Amino acid sequence: MTEETNIPAETGAAAEGATRSGFVALIGATNAGKSTLVNRLVGAKVSIVSHKVQTTRAIVRGIAIHNNAQIVFMDTPGIFKPRRRLDRAMVTTAWGGAKDADFIMFLIDSERGLKGDAETILEGLKDVHQPKILVLNKVDRVKPEDLLKLTAAVNEVVKFERTFMISALNGSGCEDVMDYLAAALPEGPWYYPEDQISDLPMRQLAAEITREKLFLRLHQELPYSSHVETEKWEERKDGSVRIEQVIYVERDSQKKIALGKNGDAIKAISTASRKELSEILEQPVHLFLFVKVRENWGDDPARFREMGLDFPTS
């Protein structure tokens, strides 16, 4: 279900055989469903998904081909009121990604509407001059009349080129988003090879998958002061790969949580991560996880670089 507006003449259908390409930044409040939507639009898992807010820390680019266009989706960290140095880096990265894109896609959780961070983001979009589309997610849970009221309220503050009403979880309305972007992006050559779905190095993607399983397993037990790094990647003669990763936490008490009673937690995390990595790599994976204490890693510039974030100096 979409609200119809006309595509500007300069972004109409491309000439026969012409290609289009561009970057589309997804911004929104934490847990609006950005990572789920990126994975849906790309057709493969490129961004980790968790019920825990602020899961995405750096910009993850997912690459999709639709009709004659290559659409590079930039899954940005959720925008929220920052409290820590890591928070500030994430929010700065999100706004930076938005301002570097050809199109902005503002995603709102329809159930929550313009509460809290979503309203703050909308105000911030007044200063962003790229073309913007509004995407209302989880519309299957909201009455149609309430969706129309929300659409009107948002467009009174910032004028969007078009409004889409979707469900990232089941895919409803997502094809309309792809059709629009494929026609609206500027003409030009593709940025990436046709078979590439992400610009994230495999070592980093593997670390992100393990971090997702860590969050899914431990929920609220383990705070955000945890980080996963892939320290060793060895392709073996038998066609398998040996991967060694370290989960860094800030205190011994957090290490005990990550390990679990009799090592149950770390075993479950390893099993789940290894299974998904084997499916993605299409080869057997031998995954070894270690938990180490690194005090105040959240103030270490090297860790920010590892995550693809700029280190805030203040």
Side-chain angles (χ1 to χ4, degrees):
M1 181 165 51
T2 64
E3 181 188 78
E4 294 291 340
T5 61
N6 293 323
I7 299 176
E10 65 270 18
T11 59
E16 185 71 19
T19 59
R20 293 178 178 273
S21 59
F23 291 83
V24 178
L26 272 76
I27 68 169
T30 57
N31 258 359
K34 295 185 300 299
S35 296
T36 300
L37 181 57
V38 166
N39 291 342
R40 168 70 63 179
L41 297 178
V42 172
K45 185 163 186 173
V46 295
S47 191
I48 72 172
V49 178
S50 165
H51 295 302
K52 200 175 179 75
V53 298
Q54 302 152 27
T55 302
T56 300
R57 286 177 172 168
I59 291 177
V60 177
R61 294 175 180 85
I63 305 160
I65 305 296
H66 191 75
N67 298 334
N68 61 340
Q70 184 178 74
I71 309 168
V72 184
F73 293 102
M74 303 163 65
D75 181 12
T76 63
I79 297 174
F80 56 100
K81 185 176 181 180
R83 295 181 177 84
R84 306 165 299 168
R85 192 189 296 270
L86 178 59
D87 296 343
R88 295 197 298 275
M90 290 162 60
V91 171
T92 299
T93 295
W95 280 117
K99 293 176 181 178
D100 288 341
D102 297 291
F103 254 85
I104 308 297
M105 185 186 297
F106 179 35
L107 189 66
I108 294 180
D109 181 331
S110 298
E111 289 186 297
R112 287 186 288 176
L114 277 178
K115 296 177 182 177
D117 294 328
E119 185 175 16
T120 302
I121 296 166
L122 183 61
E123 288 294 323
L125 283 173
K126 291 179 179 178
D127 299 323
V128 178
H129 303 296
Q130 286 93 329
K132 295 172 279 290
I133 61 175
L134 173 65
V135 179
L136 303 183
N137 192 22
K138 306 177 185 178
V139 297
D140 50 327
R141 305 178 185 178
V142 180
K143 294 178 180 179
E145 56 266 31
D146 292 334
L147 293 172
L148 293 176
K149 290 178 183 177
L150 177 58
T151 299
V154 173
N155 277 275
E156 281 182 7
V157 181
V158 174
K159 181 60 180 175
F160 289 85
E161 302 288 332
R162 190 163 173 177
T163 298
F164 294 88
M165 301 185 184
I166 70 157
S167 169
L169 196 59
N170 65 32
S172 173
C174 291
E175 190 73 10
D176 293 336
V177 176
M178 295 294 284
D179 288 342
Y180 178 82
L181 290 174
L185 289 175
E187 289 188 20
W190 291 353
Y191 292 99
Y192 299 94
E194 185 172 358
D195 59 350
Q196 187 171 342
I197 62 170
S198 176
D199 69 344
L200 200 64
M202 188 52 66
R203 291 172 67 104
Q204 191 173 342
L205 177 60
E208 287 290 278
I209 288 172
T210 297
R211 189 163 66 91
E212 176 190 59
K213 306 312 176 192
L214 181 72
F215 282 171
L216 291 174
R217 170 75 185 189
L218 299 175
H219 301 292
Q220 300 299 324
E221 297 177 63
L222 190 68
Y224 286 100
S225 48
S226 58
H227 173 57
V228 180
E229 291 183 16
T230 301
E231 295 205 335
K232 185 175 182 180
W233 186 292
E234 179 187 353
E235 297 285 346
R236 306 179 71 175
K237 293 181 180 180
D238 62 2
S240 65
V241 58
R242 176 189 172 96
I243 303 172
E244 294 183 10
Q245 295 178 331
V246 177
I247 299 171
Y248 287 105
V249 295
E250 289 189 319
R251 295 188 296 274
D252 282 323
S253 59
Q254 296 169 1
K255 180 177 181 179
K256 292 176 181 178
I257 293 171
L259 291 172
K261 186 177 180 180
N262 299 321
D264 289 347
I266 198 70
K267 289 176 185 175
I269 294 164
S270 178
T271 298
S273 183
R274 181 173 63 248
K275 182 177 184 295
E276 185 160 328
L277 285 170
S278 296
E279 293 171 355
I280 291 174
L281 297 171
E282 298 181 340
Q283 65 186 124
V285 171
H286 306 284
L287 178 63
F288 299 87
L289 298 183
F290 306 90
V291 183
K292 295 182 180 180
V293 176
R294 178 182 277 160
E295 293 183 2
N296 300 319
W297 72 261
D299 294 321
D300 183 355
R303 304 284 71 76
F304 281 70
R305 289 194 296 271
E306 179 72 22
M307 290 184 286
L309 296 170
D310 290 330
F311 184 74
T313 56
S314 60

